[in-house]
Amino acid sequence: MELWYTEYQTKNLGLTARIKATLYTGQSEFQEVAVVDSYQFGRMLVLDGVFQTSIFDEFIYHEMIAHVPLFAHPNPQTVLVIGGGDGGTIREVVKHQSVEVAEMVEIDGLVVDVSKKYLPEISVALNENHPKLRLKIGDGIKHMQEVENKYDVIIVDCSDPIGPGEGLFSHAFYQDVYKALKPDGLFVQQTESPFYHQELIKRLKQDIASLFPVTRLYLANIPQYPSGLHCFTIGSKQYDPVTADIARIPENFGTRYHNREIQKSCFALPNFVQELVK
Ligand code: SAM
């Protein structure tokens, strides 16, 4: 018998993957956690029925959410990842020589444990003995309220704006992010599909621009996410990522998607996306 798994991406559309097996299902205090093995995407982490990451295309998302902001900052030393329980973003962050401390605050310890067991390629840096990693299981919203003037770069690698991640898409949260950053700090957040989440993107852009002098949106093609085109929003206190010195990016950084040209070209927006954020 053939097994198929559908993620309902909008009220009217789903992405259906033929699967070989369900490797894990469990329920945490926050969400249903599953890992399925699919033919097209390989192993996939699924939270509350929503695809989070897959062996097939995870490199695009993780490289783009980590390297674009980190290369937009001239010397990122202290970095925070909020969410990101699968470990892919931290794996990319610790590649940067300048990074001395990579903190991660993930609300759900079960996501971390399951990723370590079923997605070792992605979670490879989630190792207690990693010299740069400081992993905390806790609420990123609460953590943000408690810190001040601490981080060079904050990466909000969150799930959709429902459930435990909802408050990560609010003006109050961005105020705390601003406070937690150093005077020249910057942050990035995954901000969904420019086709299907236009109202959300507009609102976030306005909220972030009301606090940060520099706000930029950038794009990447990510097959598993709704519409295949995914956007990220940066709020920066000082540096404009569009004018970052791309010569600083090593030629052989070991990435499969990100490179010097992508660092620049990802900020080129189609007209309909420019309309959303003007
Ligand atoms: N790449 C993914 C995507 O765009 O769908 C996101 C991956 S990562 C698994 C998202 C993580 O954010 C989840 O593990 C979830 O538990 C975590 N998360 C949600 N709300 C959070 C919060 N308030 N504080 C910290 N982590 C949170």
Side-chain angles (χ1 to χ4, degrees):
M1 196 183 67
E2 285 190 2
L3 291 173
W4 294 79
Y5 193 100
T6 298
E7 176 202 62
Y8 295 94
Q9 298 190 331
T10 74
K11 269 194 299 194
N12 307 310
L13 188 88
L15 174 64
T16 303
R18 187 174 160 220
I19 62 167
K20 297 177 191 171
T22 300
L23 303 179
Y24 176 85
T25 52
Q27 180 71 43
S28 74
E29 189 188 332
F30 304 100
Q31 54 212 343
E32 187 194 71
V33 180
V35 179
V36 296
D37 192 5
S38 70
Y39 284 90
Q40 178 60 53
F41 289 98
R43 278 161 284 129
M44 305 180 85
L45 175 68
V46 191
L47 298 180
D48 280 343
V50 178
F51 295 138
Q52 301 289 313
T53 193
S54 84
I55 296 297
F56 176 67
D57 66 353
E58 59 86 10
F59 66 98
I60 311 170
Y61 176 86
H62 293 128
E63 290 178 14
M64 290 302 281
I65 200 168
H67 300 316
V68 174
L70 288 170
F71 283 119
H73 191 291
N75 187 26
Q77 294 180 324
T78 307
V79 176
L80 171 69
V81 176
I82 293 183
D86 51 68
T89 299
I90 278 289
R91 181 195 64 198
E92 297 303 313
V93 168
V94 297
K95 286 182 183 168
H96 286 251
Q97 268 184 2
S98 66
V99 172
E100 292 165 0
V101 175
E103 284 184 22
M104 177 172 142
V105 181
E106 159 64 54
I107 204 166
D108 195 342
L110 184 61
V111 177
V112 174
D113 294 343
V114 165
S115 301
K116 281 183 172 178
K117 181 155 183 205
Y118 294 99
L119 304 166
E121 306 88 332
I122 302 177
S123 60
V124 58
L126 294 182
N127 165 352
E128 287 89 66
N129 301 323
H130 196 292
K132 295 184 180 185
L133 178 68
R134 312 270 185 279
L135 172 60
K136 173 173 156 186
I137 301 302
D139 186 348
I141 299 169
K142 193 159 169 289
H143 179 81
M144 277 294 90
Q145 291 163 353
E146 290 162 1
V147 282
E148 212 170 317
N149 191 20
K150 180 169 185 192
Y151 302 108
D152 298 301
V153 174
I154 295 173
I155 299 175
V156 188
D157 179 5
C158 52
S159 21
D160 296 343
I162 40 167
E166 192 175 350
L168 298 170
F169 292 80
S170 70
H171 191 269
F173 174 68
Y174 300 135
Q175 279 176 317
D176 291 331
V177 168
Y178 189 94
K179 173 176 67 72
L181 285 167
K182 289 185 188 161
D184 63 347
L186 58 92
F187 91 104
V188 68
Q189 180 166 24
Q190 74 84 7
T191 44
E192 310 281 345
S193 159
F195 288 103
Y196 301 154
H197 305 106
Q198 298 194 342
E199 289 311 312
L200 177 79
I201 291 168
K202 275 193 218 170
R203 176 174 67 74
L204 298 183
K205 159 75 179 36
Q206 279 166 12
D207 284 353
I208 296 168
S210 73
L211 298 162
F212 289 84
V214 183
T215 313
R216 295 284 184 189
L217 201 90
Y218 63 93
L219 298 171
N221 288 92
I222 307 177
Q224 90 180 275
Y225 291 151
S227 84
L229 188 65
H230 203 74
C231 79
F232 302 84
T233 305
I234 287 183
S236 173
K237 289 187 174 181
Q238 184 175 327
Y239 308 115
D240 186 346
V242 170
T243 55
D245 175 16
I246 58 167
R248 281 199 318 115
I249 302 173
E251 293 276 18
N252 53 353
F253 201 52
T255 46
R256 293 173 64 203
Y257 188 89
H258 179 270
N259 57 36
R260 291 179 179 180
E261 289 73 31
I262 293 283
Q263 176 82 18
K264 264 203 145 15
S265 66
C266 67
F267 292 100
L269 302 178
N271 289 350
F272 83 96
V273 184
Q274 285 185 27
E275 277 295 312
L276 294 179
V277 293
K278 79 175 183 203

